[in-house]
Amino acid sequence: MTSIPERDLIPRGSQRGRLLARGLRRQCPRCGAGDLFPSLLTIHDPCPRCGLVFEREEGYWLGAMIVAFAVIEGLFGLSFVATMLLTWPDVPWTALLIVGLLVTATLPILISPWTRTIWMALDRAFMPAPDQPEPPPRSSA
Ligand SMILES: [Zn+2]
């Protein structure tokens, strides 16, 4: 682990907007370190910069799957309704079905890094874990 400037550390349960911004940028929720994903489906756990253990418990990433489900179903619903409105009464039902199946089968994998970091940010913002002590503030000298 490297020395972390105190301004980069976000205490548990505070600054929810900043936490969510870090999730959207695929960064560690505590220290803001990026480059957490060596590949699309693997994550450096714990954080290589601050040592935060991301997977708190077995089944932890189910929350990331819920985030992915919400994003994908929301996008699908919007595009479905938009296509219907734009093409009525000749709605291309077969094309909608095929595109819908392809998108819902591939998008969860493609957005996996974002859904994981967004889930970690939400989890950290709303359900602080008492089991992981914060690292002591370090001087930048
Ligand atoms: Zn970190």
Side-chain angles (χ1 to χ4, degrees), residues 53-140:
V53 176
F54 297 138
E55 189 171 359
R56 286 182 179 179
E57 58 194 353
E58 191 174 315
Y60 179 75
W61 298 119
L62 182 63
M65 293 171 66
I66 292 170
V67 171
F69 179 78
V71 169
I72 292 166
E73 294 308 314
L75 288 175
F76 178 75
L78 287 175
S79 62
F80 185 83
V81 170
T83 302
M84 281 182 57
L85 291 174
L86 293 173
T87 61
W88 194 263
D90 299 319
V91 180
W93 296 111
T94 306
L96 269 178
L97 176 67
I98 292 169
V99 170
L101 286 173
L102 288 175
V103 167
T104 53
T106 57
L107 209 53
I109 297 166
L110 297 177
I111 66 171
S112 172
W114 284 276
T115 58
R116 285 187 187 199
T117 53
I118 290 169
W119 166 243
M120 289 190 294
L122 290 173
D123 181 44
R124 192 165 172 80
F126 294 101
M127 295 171 281
D131 58 342
Q132 277 197 39
E134 298 291 329
R138 299 175 189 192
S139 64
S140 57

Side-chain angles (χ1 to χ4, degrees), residues 35-55:
D35 199 26
L36 299 176
F37 297 90
S39 71
L40 198 57
L41 296 176
T42 57
I43 186 170
H44 290 298
D45 192 0
C47 173
R49 188 176 183 206
C50 71
L52 176 68
V53 176
F54 297 138
E55 189 171 359

